[in-house]
Structure formats: structure tokens, C-alpha cells
Amino acid sequence: GLLPRIAIAAGAPPNGKVASQEELLAAAGSVAKKKIIVTGANSGVGLEGAKLLAAAGHDVVCACRNQAKAEAAAAACGGGATPGVCDLADLGSVRTFAKTVKGVDALVLNAGLALNTKDAAPTRTADGFELTIGTNHLGHFLLYNLLEKTLASAGGAPRLVVTASPVHDPLSGGGKVGSTATLGDLSGLAAGPRFDMVDGGAFDADKAYKDSKLCNIIFTAEASRRLAKLNPKATAHAFSPGLIPSPDGFFRYQPKFFAKTFSAISTKLGVAETAAFGGACLSYAATSPDLDAFTNGWLDTEPPGKHQLLCHEPSAEARDVAEQKRLWALSEKLTGTKIDL
């Protein structure tokens, strides 16, 4: 398991340490009751994680893009969950949802989409953003900023959790296949809300998803510093639930033949995980006391298919502090949030 708290230098992630599947499953039941918001709780990793958290006795808010999905998710979780409407592709919806939040101990920014890699032109959010970055990064960015002080003021050890992916790293197995992630000089975001790509390049749906996961890790790093200023006990962590190749889940926007073939091959090769395992990762990231001892951890399913989380460094670009601060500033501008600490 992860190092005992006394052995960890303050704030430094214990890179190289592993959490086993047993630890992942046990975490939620080992801590006092928390109020936990999970975005994208209507399917896949979000739903499985919300179910585990609710079963362990936590108060779970299933934040989904419409009322029907939110109510279905809450019902699937049993008595410990309530529905919440938060459409991340509509900043107005995010603001409305944030006003309903009276307190939160753990904020889990899990929702995400990957468009068909063959899409030739961007789809837009209600605010004109490219849909992948708009949903996976900017919607979550606004939600966090609106709830930052509420989260930081929670008792105990408040936590921010972000669902990311190793594809943010061009050197990872999935990250080096096809287009690779980089935010470049962020000139796309700097040009305003009608951006096609963060780096100002031509639209590329594959790269947009990978870039969004890089944004997630970069965001987590800057958020970890902001949270620590507000509350030294507050932590922020990013995790990967692993490769979950369900044709009807994460791969739902891809061509059906590709999705089914990819699922069969990755499962046969032993590198795939299940949504239930991904849910255990989410539950662990949201509740494990092991993660109180450090902040800005990157917890990845490495090696693939081994049903464990490994704490290790993200990509070189993800660790660029100047880029972390620039992405934050541009995201503030695009979402209309400038919150001074």
C-alpha cells in the first residue's frame, strides 16, 4: 500500500507506491460519512463509484446533465444519493447547480466525453467552446471555482478528485498512438471562446480528447496549490480508472465496428479494466486517508490490466508550472471567473 503518513515528506506524492484492488475497494468504508459530489454519475466509472460510495454510507450527489439521468443515477445508488442537474456543456447550468450546494467534503470531477475521432469539425457547447475541452475542462473548471471556498471550508480533510487518463502523456502506451497531446502556446484559448483547439491548430477530435486530459492534470496541479492556501489539510488528486473499452460506454461516439473490435482485443490482451474497477478507483481517490498526506498525486492504472493504482509523475508538460498558471488564467477569462484568494 501507500507509505504510512509519517514517512511522507509534507505534500510530496509518494511516487512508486501502489494501492491494490483490495485497498481500492476498502477505502470508502474506512472513513466517517462525507458529502461527495460526483459529476457524470449516470454511467460507467461515475455510476459505479457513486454506488460504492453510497453503499459505504456517504451522502452522494449524482451531478448529471439532465434531470432524468440524475434521478436514474440516484435511484441506482439506493437511499444514500440525491440527483443534481449540472450540464458541463452549459456554464449557466453549472452556475445554477453550484448555487444548490450547501456543503461538500469531496468534489469528484469525473464526467467526460470523447467524440468520434473521424469528426471533421468541432461541436460547440452552449457558450461556443469546442465540446470536448468545454465539457471535460472548462465546465469542470467553473464548477470547481464556484465551490472552491465551500470545499476548502469543509471539516476534516477536504478533497478534489479529477478523472484523467495516461493519454495526456505522449510517452504513454495510449498517448503515443494517433495524435499526441500538447497545449502548445495555448493560442487557441487565448483567441477567445470560439476556439477549435487549445493550441490554435486545426480541429482534431483525437487530439482534443488527449488535450482535455492534459488540461485535467494541469488544472489539478494549480488547484492543489490554491486549496492548500485556503486549508493546509485540503488535497487535490488526479487518477485514471484504466482502459475501459465498453462500446456502449466511453467509446460510444466511436464507429461501432471499431469500438467492438477494440474492446475484444484489449480484453483478450489483458490490458482492459472494467467500469466496476474504475468505480473502485474513484471511490478510493475520493475517500482514502492515505491521500491526506500529500497533494497533487497522479494515480494511474500502471501497468495496464493489473487492477491497481500506481502513484507516479505525469508528463513533462503537465509539470510545467508556468503552463499551469497560464491555463488557469485563460480558463478564468473564458468562464468569467476571477476569484482572488
Side-chain angles (χ1 to χ4, degrees):
L2 294 172
L3 281 169
R5 257 177 255 191
I6 52 169
I8 300 173
N15 291 324
K17 290 300 166 184
V18 169
S20 68
Q21 187 162 340
E22 292 72 25
E23 289 172 280
L24 301 179
L25 286 165
S30 71
V31 295
K33 185 176 184 178
K34 296 177 183 291
K35 182 170 181 183
I36 303 171
I37 296 171
V38 181
T39 68
N42 53 288
S43 64
V45 171
L47 177 57
E48 296 299 328
K51 282 158 61 174
L52 279 172
L53 291 166
H58 300 288
D59 285 333
V60 180
V61 177
C62 296
C64 309
R65 65 180 178 271
N66 61 48
Q67 189 71 30
K69 287 182 185 296
E71 287 179 358
C77 291
T82 54
V85 177
C86 183
D87 182 352
L88 294 160
D90 180 347
L91 298 185
S93 174
V94 175
R95 289 191 176 93
T96 299
F97 170 72
K99 286 175 185 169
T100 70
V101 177
K102 302 302 180 216
V104 59
D105 299 299
L107 175 62
V108 183
L109 305 180
N110 164 77
L113 57 82
L115 297 176
N116 191 321
T117 54
K118 298 192 183 319
D119 284 2
T123 305
R124 300 282 170 189
T125 70
D127 303 276
F129 308 142
E130 186 280 314
L131 183 62
T132 318
I133 296 291
T135 302
N136 299 2
H137 169 59
L138 290 169
H140 276 146
F141 178 87
L142 174 61
L143 180 59
Y144 168 76
N145 274 275
L146 294 173
L147 298 181
E148 182 175 61
K149 289 182 178 172
T150 304
L151 177 64
S153 64
R159 185 168 300 163
L160 170 69
V161 174
V162 182
T163 305
S165 168
V167 301
H168 82 274
D169 186 349
L171 300 181
S172 73
K176 62 187 175 190
V177 177
S179 303
T180 56
T182 179
L183 306 188
D185 61 1
L186 290 91
S187 57
L189 289 191
R194 299 289 300 180
F195 64 89
D196 289 353
M197 298 293 289
V198 174
D199 64 4
F203 180 69
D204 176 340
D206 180 26
K207 185 177 186 301
Y209 175 71
K210 290 169 179 161
D211 286 353
S212 78
K213 296 293 102 179
L214 179 54
C215 286
N216 289 159
I217 299 219
I218 287 174
F219 159 82
T220 304
E222 183 66 14
S224 73
R225 288 190 287 268
R226 290 175 62 93
L227 269 176
K229 280 184 187 174
L230 292 169
N231 182 344
K233 292 183 178 179
T235 58
H237 300 290
F239 81 100
S240 167
L243 175 63
I244 303 167
S246 166
D248 302 312
F250 176 74
F251 284 83
R252 63 191 177 277
Y253 295 110
Q254 307 311 324
K256 285 297 176 196
F257 176 76
F258 164 80
K260 287 180 178 176
T261 305
F262 186 83
S263 176
I265 292 171
S266 55
T267 301
K268 188 172 182 181
L269 288 174
V271 296
E273 298 289 0
T274 63
F277 169 79
C281 293
L282 184 154
S283 170
Y284 173 87
T287 60
S288 175
D290 289 343
L291 306 189
D292 291 338
F294 61 98
T295 195
N296 194 29
W298 165 228
L299 309 166
D300 185 13
T301 46
E302 179 68 28
K306 297 300 181 190
H307 319 310
Q308 64 182 36
L309 281 180
L310 172 71
C311 187
H312 70 97
E313 284 192 323
S315 72
E317 184 172 345
R319 303 194 305 270
D320 182 333
V321 175
E323 187 166 318
Q324 291 163 7
K325 295 190 177 305
R326 181 155 165 74
L327 177 64
W328 196 278
L330 289 172
S331 301
E332 282 181 329
K333 194 171 178 183
L334 286 168
T335 58
T337 51
K338 179 73 174 101
I339 299 171
D340 294 318
L341 297 184

